[in-house]
Amino acid sequence: MISVSGKRWEQKKINQKLVDKLKQDFNFSDILSRLIISRKFDDDEIATINTDLDLNNVFLNNEDFNQSIKLVVNCINNNEKICILGDYDVDGSAATSLFVKLFENINHPFFYYIPDREKDGYGATKKLFQKLILEKPKLIIMVDCGSTSNEAINFLNENEIKSLIIDHHEINKPFPNANSIINPKQDNGYKEYDYLCATSLSYFFLDLLIKEIKSEINIADYLIYVLLATVCDVMPLRKLNRLIALNALKNFDITKNVPLNTLFELNDKKNKININDLGYLIGPILNAGGRLGKSQYATELLSSNNNQVAMNRSNHLIKLNNKRKEIETLMLNEIDFLKIEKENKEVIIYYNPNINEGLIGIIAARLKDYFNKPSIVITASNKLLKGSARSVYNYNIGRVIKNSLDKELIINGGGHNMAAGFTLNKVSLKSFENYILEDYSKSNAVNNNIFTYEFEISSLAFNQDFYDDIKKLEPFGTGNLVPTFMLRDLRITKPIVLNNKHISTILRSKTGFSIKSIFFDYINTKIGEYLMSYKNNINVIGQINENIWNNKKTLQLTIRDLIV
């Protein structure tokens, strides 16, 4: 079925025998069983639905972790100054904050540095280390970066400075000659955990380190930072990440965390913190600093227990995020979505030399979401070009960028399955584009712009019991998306534009049943046009969720698409 937005929708194919077996074995409802089968939950994930499972450290006897602990313990015992170098996104900032918490707790000499996106570029470079070694660290711990920094690590070795890399980006041989590397993607016996972000790896490392040095800090108090980074780095909320999410949300008391509590209060939030708060409120605010020239602000906020510092940094970051939104809207309005659609390339590569380089990642994400295709946005940066990529679930964009670096199509870059960044010369742009498109055509990524929904439901299914069954699979996110359903023969009534951005409407069935609905970001969309003017009955693709207003919860349908 082709929708009004031009997307092709298909119902997911489910093995009914597996559904029936699950219902019998676990006494699950039909809807819950169908959702579990469609998501291919394993036994451990199924066990989390009705049971609270503890989060254990799966790296207890891991060789890379043990070697890294010995390296840091030796520095602690010798009172050697340590530098923490983190990436400028939420994952890098959160991971850095965890290390700050520990080193402050044990009163160990350290400093941290978050690179400026424009002045320093991405990650660990020789140029950056030439500046950082002036502070005379004996060990540099790189979090969420370093996996492709061979030259920079060699420079540290020449200056007799030890190095530890804790990262989840693509890494190929020859590996950087660091003293120790924690990265599941180096295929050193724990590749099954290559879906963990850098903050997750840092958390498990610090958990073991704390036990080794017998510190009194409770690292579990900051598990919410791990979930924050996991969500913002678009890691799948599956397997171990699902267990992290469940434990973090269950045990977190926001009133005991000054930074997050301050952000909540400034945004008039009173609900118990959830995945959407992390991904759509807190994450963008924290990322705004890295995007608009204040890369240290997020770490300064997350690592502080001081109310005044938290208030100052929170206000600054909120202002920067508002500025980011304004610039983003202007940039999106300049993009010719119809032209991109007509070109119909399997990977969208959009070049505009005037885009603020701090926003190219967000623009790439918007294009990816709109077209359901890997998307790359490139802009001018001094005499070079800088690019940011966001990918769909079945195409590893980090691998492609690493291969592009090996083929010298780009100057530097790195990434993971879902996101990547890079720098290249302008003369290489066409060759780079051709390589990306050729790689995608050879890959196993079967996309064809197909979107799927779970199955059809009647308007009568729009009730609290049905929603409560769906909620048993929370938290939803990458790899465990909010269930999408089709509802047939609904009439659009009372459409209202909210904040010049969204459309609120009532959908009515033939039997007179009313469904409160909302469609977000309607501007320049066919869906928005139909919602405001279409008079006949229509089929609706949407997701059921709770709307909380003045502490009152009501069900509403978030409209994803319309089919005439």
Side-chain angles (χ1 to χ4, degrees):
M1 292 177 291
I2 305 299
S3 70
V4 300
S5 64
K7 297 182 177 70
R8 180 181 170 191
W9 286 92
E10 291 182 358
Q11 181 173 319
K12 288 183 180 179
K13 295 177 175 63
I14 303 293
N15 187 324
Q16 188 60 43
K17 289 182 179 179
L18 294 177
V19 174
D20 293 338
K21 187 176 187 307
L22 200 62
K23 289 165 65 177
Q24 183 178 356
D25 290 349
F26 294 93
N27 198 29
F28 289 151
S29 68
D30 186 74
I31 172 62
L32 182 58
S33 300
R34 290 174 71 94
L35 293 175
I36 291 170
I37 295 301
S38 75
R39 282 156 169 70
K40 299 178 181 177
F41 268 35
D42 61 27
D43 291 343
D44 291 336
E45 290 176 304
I46 292 173
T48 63
I49 293 173
N50 287 329
T51 309
D52 289 339
L53 299 180
D54 292 331
L55 179 66
N56 296 316
N57 197 321
V58 297
F59 300 106
L60 182 60
N61 298 309
N62 181 279
E63 186 177 333
D64 285 351
F65 278 75
N66 289 338
Q67 180 180 326
S68 301
I69 287 168
K70 289 176 183 176
L71 177 67
V72 177
V73 168
N74 184 60
C75 284
I76 291 173
N77 290 339
N78 293 324
N79 203 39
E80 295 175 343
K81 184 187 284 188
I82 296 174
C83 168
I84 312 148
L85 174 66
D87 191 15
Y88 38 62
D89 66 357
V90 169
D91 192 16
S93 298
T96 302
S97 298
L98 294 183
F99 276 94
V100 171
K101 291 290 185 183
L102 173 64
F103 291 143
E104 285 184 345
N105 180 266
I106 64 175
N107 198 29
H108 185 81
F110 80 98
F111 68 100
Y112 68 86
Y113 190 82
I114 308 294
D116 181 277
R117 189 184 295 259
E118 293 190 27
K119 296 176 183 175
D120 300 313
Y122 168 76
T125 62
K126 179 180 177 180
K127 178 183 176 183
L128 180 57
F129 283 156
Q130 286 172 334
K131 177 169 62 175
L132 295 183
I133 66 171
L134 299 177
E135 298 286 328
K136 298 183 178 178
K138 293 295 184 182
L139 167 68
I140 295 184
I141 301 174
M142 286 151 269
V143 289
D144 200 31
C145 61
S147 289
T148 59
S149 302
N150 298 54
E151 180 190 29
I153 303 300
N154 290 338
F155 172 77
L156 293 183
N157 293 335
E158 291 167 5
N159 287 272
E160 298 182 343
I161 297 172
K162 292 167 284 191
S163 56
L164 165 61
I165 296 171
I166 303 178
D167 194 18
H168 69 130
H169 292 92
E170 293 296 321
I171 181 169
N172 290 347
K173 294 180 179 179
F175 300 144
N177 193 24
N179 293 81
S180 192
I181 300 175
I182 292 174
N183 186 333
K185 291 187 176 178
Q186 66 180 328
D187 200 8
N188 204 16
Y190 51 108
K191 199 173 192 303
E192 62 183 296
Y193 297 109
D194 67 354
Y195 59 86
L196 297 179
C197 67
T199 306
S200 298
L201 295 168
S202 298
Y203 176 89
F204 288 119
F205 169 78
L206 287 169
D207 176 60
L208 296 174
L209 176 63
I210 286 165
K211 289 181 173 67
E212 181 70 23
I213 63 176
K214 297 179 173 57
S215 168
E216 294 181 358
I217 186 174
N218 185 7
I219 193 68
D221 289 343
Y222 304 101
L223 187 60
I224 196 71
Y225 287 7
V226 179
L227 180 56
L228 171 66
T230 298
V231 172
C232 292
D233 233 40
V234 205
M235 297 292 101
L237 287 178
R238 298 294 301 273
K239 300 180 181 180
L240 187 56
N241 281 343
R242 176 173 173 81
L243 201 53
I244 288 170
L246 291 169
N247 277 270
L249 294 172
K250 177 183 68 177
N251 298 320
F252 183 61
D253 181 354
I254 196 169
T255 63
K256 295 180 180 178
N257 184 286
V258 172
L260 299 188
N261 194 47
T262 302
L263 286 173
F264 249 46
E265 289 181 346
L266 289 173
N267 284 279
D268 295 322
K269 296 281 287 183
K270 295 179 176 62
N271 58 286
K272 183 175 172 61
I273 198 167
N274 58 46
I275 292 290
N276 286 338
D277 294 324
L278 298 175
Y280 296 110
L281 175 67
I282 295 172
I285 290 172
L286 294 175
N287 266 330
R291 297 187 189 285
L292 296 175
K294 301 294 181 182
S295 59
Q296 302 270 119
Y297 278 17
T299 305
E300 289 173 2
L301 173 59
L302 291 176
S303 60
S304 177
N305 283 325
N306 183 288
N307 287 307
Q308 187 173 349
V309 171
M311 184 63 71
N312 179 278
R313 285 296 174 256
S314 294
N315 276 315
H316 271 98
L317 286 167
I318 289 170
K319 288 178 182 177
L320 286 171
N321 192 45
N322 289 333
K323 181 180 178 182
R324 184 272 304 170
K325 290 178 184 177
E326 293 174 5
I327 300 172
E328 178 190 337
T329 299
L330 292 173
M331 293 294 102
L332 287 171
N333 287 340
E334 289 183 7
I335 297 175
D336 190 338
F337 282 79
L338 188 59
K339 179 184 177 185
I340 294 173
E341 195 168 325
K342 286 180 178 178
E343 290 174 349
N344 197 30
K345 292 181 180 178
E346 293 299 336
V347 179
I348 294 165
I349 301 175
Y350 178 75
Y351 170 60
N352 182 337
N354 299 318
I355 297 180
N356 183 306
E357 66 182 75
L359 299 185
I360 54 177
I362 286 184
I363 304 300
R366 297 289 182 266
L367 291 173
K368 186 267 296 183
D369 290 341
Y370 186 88
F371 292 103
N372 194 36
K373 294 179 178 181
S375 298
I376 300 171
V377 175
I378 300 170
T379 190
S381 178
N382 297 320
K383 296 180 180 180
L384 299 172
L385 301 182
K386 280 195 177 178
S388 187
R390 297 294 183 270
S391 192
V392 292
Y393 198 54
N394 58 353
Y395 186 62
N396 186 339
I397 197 67
R399 171 192 61 80
V400 185
I401 295 303
K402 182 65 176 70
N403 290 344
S404 300
L405 181 62
D406 293 340
K407 293 177 179 295
E408 298 183 349
L409 292 170
I410 59 177
I411 298 170
N412 57 52
H416 51 77
N417 296 43
M418 303 296 287
F422 57 92
T423 305
L424 76 163
N425 287 307
K426 190 171 183 179
V427 293
S428 304
L429 180 57
K430 192 62 183 176
S431 298
F432 171 75
E433 180 177 357
N434 291 338
Y435 172 71
I436 295 289
L437 293 171
E438 182 181 352
D439 180 87
Y440 186 90
S441 67
K442 291 179 179 178
S443 74
N444 294 322
V446 181
N447 184 17
N448 297 325
N449 214 23
I450 296 174
F451 293 72
T452 59
Y453 60 91
E454 303 292 342
F455 48 85
E456 293 182 24
I457 61 173
S458 76
S459 55
L460 296 177
F462 194 81
N463 60 59
Q464 193 63 45
D465 288 341
F466 187 83
Y467 180 69
D468 288 342
D469 248 356
I470 294 172
K471 282 188 68 176
K472 291 176 182 177
L473 287 180
E474 288 183 334
F476 294 117
T478 303
N480 183 34
L481 298 174
V482 177
T484 302
F485 304 100
M486 175 186 279
L487 294 89
R488 288 189 178 274
D489 292 327
L490 299 177
R491 183 175 292 274
I492 302 162
T493 64
K494 300 179 180 178
I496 300 171
V497 176
L498 304 176
N499 300 325
N500 199 32
K501 194 172 185 182
H502 315 305
I503 295 177
S504 172
T505 184
I506 302 294
L507 301 175
R508 296 193 189 279
S509 69
K510 288 183 176 180
T511 59
F513 192 87
S514 298
I515 300 174
K516 184 179 179 182
S517 306
I518 190 163
F519 177 64
F520 293 105
D521 299 317
Y522 84 96
I523 297 174
N524 296 328
T525 66
K526 287 284 187 182
I527 299 172
E529 292 176 17
Y530 269 77
L531 287 174
M532 294 303 296
S533 61
Y534 196 69
K535 302 302 180 185
N536 297 324
N537 283 12
I538 198 164
N539 301 327
V540 179
I541 303 284
Q543 299 163 335
I544 304 172
N545 54 51
E546 274 182 333
N547 180 42
I548 302 173
W549 181 255
N550 290 332
N551 293 322
K552 184 181 178 182
K553 295 180 180 179
T554 56
L555 292 183
Q556 71 174 11
L557 187 75
T558 299
I559 298 170
R560 290 280 313 280
D561 213 336
L562 303 171
I563 298 174
V564 179

